[in-house]
């Protein structure tokens, strides 16, 4: 039986009381520019880790000091062989653990305290690291992705501690990573080294989005990713284009023809061997797509089939960078080579490795004029499909509905990739993984003017508080 402290109304009141403090602390975190990329001041990443560590250390939940219980900052080497220099060592992650009472599940709460670089400051309406509230949204880098996720966990845990007198039955793991935006390079190493501290039955990943401010989502599928660079070369050296243009192909010509071969006339990916996932999707109109993407008047959408199927379940390929002379520095030269960065999304149901092999075979078959193509800097992340039929998913859907004033949650796919989720799944295959989030379509994570809806933030805290309290009451 639900005691009065844990009724929906009481937990709603407790969340409302905690909310101003949570928002204030979120703003403190946003003021720390914890960009995890190489070349940025990594003392800021250490500072956000310290903040989270101090915060968890002050909680009665982690003060018991039993086997594997406590709060730690961990730092492990990157486990892939790519890169070097700063990439050889991962960034600070924070782990906290409290063991479960017999018969109760352990819940892991995951978020990340690092952020993307701010990018072009000119494109921001306010300083990315001086958070500002405008029209019910908090603007700043990391305001949504994913410092709000960190604060959802910390605030929900505070309320759980309050309603259980600091002594809940469920086990709790908090895992706040410090390099999600830099490819989670030491994640596999952290998982294997600290497996006993991290082991959990339910894993809540607060790093995704919602259908809208008024419709919550549980993310049940994620596309994988393949990124690589292609260096397309045709000549041993540059020459004057007036002398040789028209008789020999330059690197740009060969690259342009190769890139063109990646797409069909309607803009679908033309690479043979890429999987397409079939599953029903909610309706999503062209108007909504235009609104969310900023598609210019007269520019058509690409691909075919339901729009959300294209975004969630079909492969895509984007050219995200080209190294070539700038227009200002352009001279009349046939270019010997051009370097291109390719970012591919992989449909659920195919490994990133298989998709990469399909891409490689396509390149070998479609490179014009015998041009040389060197493929390098390969990064692979597997897609993920969640089993939404588990008991924890049912509790989460109920918590989302209650927190969103009765709105039915959507089981959603996401076009983006969170490769570490596939890694969590392989290390803890029996754990139920719940991918929740604080973003909405206006959040613009990774972009200028990233923002968080304060309404979504509030509801996300309440939903997680309800989930934890109900798991704690019911066991599993
Ligand atoms: Zn994130």
């Amino acid at each position: 039986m639900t005691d009065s402290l844990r009724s929906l109304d009481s937990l709603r009141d407790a969340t409302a009381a905690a909310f101003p403090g949570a928002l204030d602390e979120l703003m403190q975190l946003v003021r720390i520019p914890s960009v995890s990329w190489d070349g940025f001041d990594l003392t800021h990443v250490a500072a956000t880790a310290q903040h989270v560590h101090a915060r968890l250390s002050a909680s009665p939940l982690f003060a018991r000091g039993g086997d594997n219980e406590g709060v730690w900052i961990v730092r492990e080497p990157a486990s892939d062989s790519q890169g070097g220099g700063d990439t050889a060592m991962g960034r600070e992650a924070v782990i906290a653990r409290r063991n479960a009472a017999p018969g109760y599940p352990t819940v892991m709460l995951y978020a990340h305290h690092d952020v993307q670089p701010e990018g072009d400051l000119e494109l921001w309406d306010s300083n990315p690291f001086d958070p500002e509230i405008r029209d019910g949204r908090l603007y700043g880098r990391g305001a949504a992705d994913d410092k709000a996720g960190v604060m959802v966990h910390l605030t929900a845990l505070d309320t759980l501690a309050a309603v259980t007198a600091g002594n809940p039955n469920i086990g709790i793991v908090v895992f706040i990573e410090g390099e999600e935006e830099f490819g989670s390079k030491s994640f596999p190493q952290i998982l294997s080294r600290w497996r006993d501290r991290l082991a959990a039955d339910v894993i809540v990943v607060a790093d995704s989005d919602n259908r809208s401010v008024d419709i919550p989502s549980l993310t049940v599928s994620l596309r994988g990713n393949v990124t690589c660079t292609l260096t397309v070369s045709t000549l041993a050296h540059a020459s004057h284009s007036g002398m040789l243009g028209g008789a020999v192909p330059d690197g740009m010509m060969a690259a342009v023809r190769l890139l063109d071969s990646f797409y069909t006339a309607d803009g679908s990916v033309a690479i043979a061997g890429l999987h397409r996932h079939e599953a029903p999707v909610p309706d999503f109109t062209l108007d909504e797509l235009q609104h969310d993407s900023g598609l210019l008047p007269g520019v058509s959408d690409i691909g075919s089939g339901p729009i959300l199927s294209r975004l969630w379940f079909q492969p895509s390929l984007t050219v995200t960078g080209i190294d070539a002379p700038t227009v200002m520095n352009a001279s009349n030269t046939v270019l010997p080579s051009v370097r291109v960065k390719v970012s591919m999304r992989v449909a659920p149901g195919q490994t990133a490795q298989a998709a990469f092999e399909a891409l490689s075979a396509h390149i070998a078959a479609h490179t014009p004029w015998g041009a040389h193509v060197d493929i390098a800097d390969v990064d692979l992340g597997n897609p993920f499909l969640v089993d939404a039929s588990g008991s924890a998913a049912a509790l989460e859907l109920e918590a989302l509905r209650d927190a969103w004033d009765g709105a039915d949650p959507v089981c959603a796919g996401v076009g983006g990739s969170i490769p570490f989720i596939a890694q969590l799944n392989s290390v803890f295959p029996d754990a139920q993984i719940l991918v929740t989030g604080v973003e909405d379509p206006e959040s613009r994570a990774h972009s200028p003017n990233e923002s968080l809806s304060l309404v979504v933030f509030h509801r996300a805290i309440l939903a997680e508080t309800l989930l934890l309290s109900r798991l704690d009451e019911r066991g599993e």
Side-chain angles (χ1 to χ4, degrees):
M1 192 182 129
T2 301
D3 67 57
S4 61
L5 274 180
R6 294 171 182 248
S7 70
L8 175 56
D9 282 344
S10 296
L11 292 175
R12 186 179 277 134
D13 289 348
T15 300
F19 186 76
L23 178 57
D24 191 65
E25 189 174 351
L26 173 59
M27 291 171 77
Q28 284 179 45
L29 283 173
V30 174
R31 286 190 191 99
I32 306 172
S34 53
V35 179
S36 53
W37 291 22
D38 276 349
F40 287 78
D41 182 353
L42 297 177
T43 61
H44 298 305
V45 178
T48 43
Q50 289 290 350
H51 179 106
V52 173
H53 179 267
R55 186 63 161 65
L56 290 167
S57 299
S59 168
L61 298 174
F62 306 107
R64 226 163 34 172
D67 243 12
N68 274 320
E69 292 188 317
V71 185
W72 306 268
I73 292 181
V74 302
R75 199 170 178 201
E76 297 296 330
S79 54
D80 64 6
S81 54
Q82 294 153 31
D86 282 351
T87 57
M89 201 64 196
R91 318 300 188 222
E92 291 87 347
V94 184
I95 297 175
R97 183 181 183 89
R98 174 193 177 86
N99 294 325
Y104 285 85
T106 295
V107 184
M108 179 201 287
L109 305 177
Y110 168 94
H112 60 90
H113 64 85
D114 65 313
V115 298
Q116 287 271 321
E118 65 277 22
D120 187 352
L121 278 176
E122 296 281 305
L123 299 175
W124 285 81
D125 295 332
S126 56
N127 184 325
F129 299 112
D130 190 5
E132 196 175 285
I133 297 172
R134 301 193 296 272
D135 298 329
R137 304 189 69 90
L138 179 70
Y139 287 82
R141 171 60 81 230
D145 182 15
D146 184 29
K147 287 172 171 171
V150 174
M151 285 315 307
V152 165
H153 296 328
L154 295 180
T155 313
L157 286 175
D158 284 347
T159 304
L160 179 72
V163 300
T164 59
N167 202 16
N169 297 311
I170 49 169
I172 299 160
V173 174
V174 184
F175 180 18
I176 308 294
E177 197 200 348
E179 56 177 355
E180 198 278 334
E181 303 294 6
F182 194 55
S184 299
K185 293 175 200 293
S186 66
F187 198 92
Q189 195 65 23
I190 292 174
L191 281 186
S192 73
R193 176 108 193 258
W194 305 111
R195 196 184 183 290
D196 293 347
R197 288 182 188 172
L198 293 169
D201 306 295
V202 177
I203 300 177
V204 181
V205 175
D207 193 18
S208 189
D209 63 1
N210 292 285
R211 179 71 194 281
S212 73
V213 169
D214 297 312
I215 303 176
S217 298
L218 183 63
T219 299
V220 296
S221 91
L222 294 151
R223 288 194 290 191
N225 71 288
V226 171
T227 60
C228 58
T229 59
L230 311 176
T231 303
V232 183
S233 307
T234 55
L235 301 163
H237 57 79
S239 298
H240 192 294
S241 58
M243 307 294 289
L244 287 168
V248 296
D250 61 83
M252 183 62 87
M253 276 177 79
V256 165
R257 293 295 294 257
L258 174 61
L259 298 184
D260 181 58
S261 77
F262 290 155
Y263 305 102
T264 65
D266 81 352
S268 301
V269 184
I271 296 167
L274 290 183
H275 177 69
R276 295 168 172 277
H277 182 65
E278 296 300 335
V281 291
D283 285 336
F284 192 78
T285 65
L286 194 52
D287 278 353
E288 289 174 280
L289 181 68
Q290 280 165 334
H291 176 263
D292 289 359
S293 65
L295 201 62
L296 294 174
V299 180
S300 71
D301 58 321
I302 58 169
S304 60
I307 289 172
L308 289 181
S309 170
R310 288 180 242 169
L311 296 177
W312 295 351
F313 299 146
Q314 311 307 322
S316 70
L317 187 151
T318 309
V319 174
T320 56
I322 296 185
D323 281 345
T326 62
V327 169
M328 202 163 80
N329 292 314
S331 62
N332 290 325
T333 304
V334 285
L335 299 172
S337 71
V338 165
R339 191 161 72 129
V340 179
K341 180 144 187 180
V342 170
S343 168
M344 209 162 76
R345 299 293 166 174
V346 182
Q350 181 169 45
T351 64
Q353 179 64 36
F356 174 66
E357 283 163 15
L359 173 67
S360 304
H362 178 97
I363 290 168
H366 290 82
T367 303
W369 309 306
H372 300 184
V373 180
D374 180 42
I375 305 176
D377 305 316
V378 180
D379 189 42
L380 305 177
N382 283 323
F384 185 57
L385 214 45
V386 179
D387 174 13
S389 65
S391 58
L395 267 188
E396 173 64 20
L397 290 170
E398 186 189 320
L400 288 171
R401 190 177 289 111
D402 287 342
W404 258 259
D405 301 327
D408 270 336
V410 174
C411 284
V414 162
S417 308
I418 314 182
F420 70 76
I421 292 181
Q423 294 169 19
L424 278 171
N425 188 41
S426 72
V427 175
F428 303 116
D430 297 329
Q432 302 180 61
I433 301 185
L434 306 174
V435 182
T436 65
V438 291
E439 294 173 29
D440 69 277
E442 310 271 309
S443 289
R444 300 197 195 158
H446 299 197
S447 303
N449 299 317
E450 174 180 347
S451 70
L452 168 76
S453 157
L454 300 187
V455 171
V456 172
F457 184 41
H458 196 145
R459 287 170 168 168
I461 294 170
L462 177 56
E464 189 160 302
T465 305
L466 293 170
L467 174 74
L468 294 176
S469 174
R470 289 168 182 177
L471 278 169
D472 188 59
E473 277 186 304
R474 296 177 198 188
E476 221 183 354

